[in-house]
Amino acid sequence: MKKQHITDPIEERLKGVSRRDFMKFCGIMAVSMGLPLSAGTQIAEAITNPKRRPTVIWLHGQECTGCTETLLRTSHPSLEHLILDLISLDYHETLNAGAGHQAEAALYQSVKENAGKFILVVEGSAPLKDGGKYCMIAGRPFVDIVKEIAAKAAAVIAIGSCASWGGVQSSPPNPTGATGIPEVLKGTTVVSIPGCPPNPYNFLSTVLYFLTFGKLPALDEKARPKFAYGRLIHENCERRPHFDAGRFADTFGDEGHRQGYCLYKLGCKGPITHANCPAILFNEVGAGAWPVGTGHPCFGCTEQAVGFKIPLHTQAEILQVTPDAAHAPIEMEKGKGVSAGAAALLGGIAGVAIGAGAVITKNLGKSDEGE
Ligand code: SF4
């Protein structure tokens, strides 16, 4: 008898991505949201339900397009699959095939058809000075376009530091009046995913959380997802054991720098910056792919009062003096315990899992607000 081919709905839906890779991706997303691995199944169900594929409209204001670039660098899944299968990206000025009147018509058609249901993503700040004339799109000030489209969106996400609070162009004297989208849309909940660039998984996780659970993840007082911005970089940094032991790089290229010692004296802002960079890293090229891991001090790009505000090499005020108990003692005898790197990694995972995961998991099925 001829064998009947049973179509796998997931493989059918995600053409070119194996079921195994797809489930791995959903697991990664669940863990990066601070959820148990098993929540990956719920995420997979949400993604593979074509009726729940969210429409995303992506606007560009004052920025360098680095946030889009960082998304292009994801490989779980590639942007091609992200666009075609996970979300319906109806308008994105960098990626649109059409241009001019054709692109504008597509934008307003999508807003009309998906009113109240689409996710608006804004990349870049809005200049408010002189009537917003420093960023015009199709003859209109960008700020007016944002206000008009946000009024019809189901959720608004500000991606990157520029959209979250103004970014580099808002540094004094801020000649164009560059302003973050939460400030432009006062009274509307705007989820902020700051970073220069932001980690693409923090964005993807937020969108998938919304898609899977029909609500936004728990947010901190600056409307950043707690699963991504709930901890100081300093708490999970792989160089933390050196900080606790008083081992610092004094100048770039000195012996301490070459040994991988703490970068605090070079101006690292990890002690005053909330982000999960040391736990989830960047660019998927292996361990160490984040600024501090490559030997550069954190400059605090995820904090409004730090990045582009406090000079790069000014030392940060230490907020947390007590060593993190999750780290192994730096003086542990060689061969008798975990390495400093492994301890930092474990500390990072423990921090994310205990801090964000437990809280969010506890509240699954309830409102995520007001934790
Ligand atoms: S000061 Fe910077 S390099 Fe040193 S432990 Fe903290 S985050 Fe890591």
Side-chain angles (χ1 to χ4, degrees), residues 13 43 45-58 81-91 110 114 116-121 154-155 157 203-214:
R13 184 104 177 76
I43 294 169
E45 280 166 12
I47 292 173
T48 50
N49 182 346
K51 288 186 187 144
R52 291 173 71 178
R53 190 166 75 149
T55 295
V56 173
I57 290 176
W58 190 299
H81 291 297
L82 177 75
I83 294 171
L84 299 178
D85 298 308
L86 305 190
I87 62 175
S88 172
L89 189 57
D90 281 16
Y91 182 86
S110 177
N114 300 292
K117 292 183 285 191
F118 67 89
I119 297 174
L120 172 64
V121 180
I157 297 176
F203 168 73
L204 284 178
S205 302
T206 303
V207 172
L208 292 182
Y209 191 101
F210 185 72
L211 173 67
T212 306
F213 305 112

Side-chain angles (χ1 to χ4, degrees), residues 214-234:
K215 60 188 176 184
L216 294 172
L219 306 174
D220 69 10
E221 72 286 354
K222 291 170 189 161
R224 302 176 295 190
K226 285 184 179 176
F227 68 77
Y229 300 92
R231 293 288 178 117
L232 289 170
I233 282 179
H234 190 57

Side-chain angles (χ1 to χ4, degrees), residues 187-256:
T188 302
T189 300
V190 178
V191 180
S192 290
I193 316 280
C196 191
N199 194 298
Y201 290 108
N202 291 338
F203 168 73
L204 284 178
S205 302
T206 303
V207 172
L208 292 182
Y209 191 101
F210 185 72
L211 173 67
T212 306
F213 305 112
K215 60 188 176 184
L216 294 172
L219 306 174
D220 69 10
E221 72 286 354
K222 291 170 189 161
R224 302 176 295 190
K226 285 184 179 176
F227 68 77
Y229 300 92
R231 293 288 178 117
L232 289 170
I233 282 179
H234 190 57
E235 289 179 58
N236 296 322
C237 178
E238 68 235 29
R239 297 183 189 231
R240 179 62 186 267
H242 292 298
F243 174 90
D244 294 338
R247 296 178 175 178
F248 300 98
D250 290 309
T251 56
F252 286 99
D254 70 4
E255 186 55 24

Side-chain angles (χ1 to χ4, degrees), residues 21-31 37 39-41 43-44 47:
D21 283 349
F22 174 65
M23 293 310 292
K24 207 160 101 183
F25 163 72
C26 292
I28 291 170
M29 286 295 104
V31 171
L37 208 54
T41 311
I43 294 169
I47 292 173

Side-chain angles (χ1 to χ4, degrees), residues 233-234 237 239-240 243 262-264 268-271 290 292:
I233 282 179
H234 190 57
C237 178
R239 297 183 189 231
R240 179 62 186 267
F243 174 90
C262 173
L263 304 171
Y264 176 72
C268 183
K269 305 298 186 298
W290 70 294
V292 170

